[in-house]
Amino acid sequence: MSAISDDDVERVRALVAAIPRGQVSTYGDLAAAAGLSSPRIVGTIMRTDAADLPWHRVISASGTPAPHLARRQLARLHEEGVPIRDDRVVLRECRWEIDADT
DNA sequence: TTTGTGACCTGGA
DNA sequence: ATCCAGGCCACAA
């Protein structure tokens, strides 16, 4: 059996898919919005079942994602119009406020 | 079952 | 600015 409920996975997927272009969200915010106990679960879900989602719009709270992804994240985010300063996303400008209704 | 690893977060030195 | 420790939970071997 899967430790993570399908409902939780779908909830996270919906949140990630709902992130507007030009904005980003953090693992911690997504975890909190999805009602998960820990941000790591979001990371696990992404790795397992979010390959078809705009994972590039999901970053860490520091604005600096994992090294292997950072290069690609920043490039694509930059194309979407996300403000980037010296290889780190300016969360203050592009952080997406999560709404349960969207 | 236990152990190690990870697309994390926070806080302290 | 950097490095380390603790907490968190799930997945692969």
Side-chain angles (χ1 to χ4, degrees), chain A residues 23-39:
Chain A
Q23 290 190 299
V24 298
S25 185
T26 67
Y27 292 96
D29 284 358
L30 291 173
L36 298 176
S37 315
S38 167

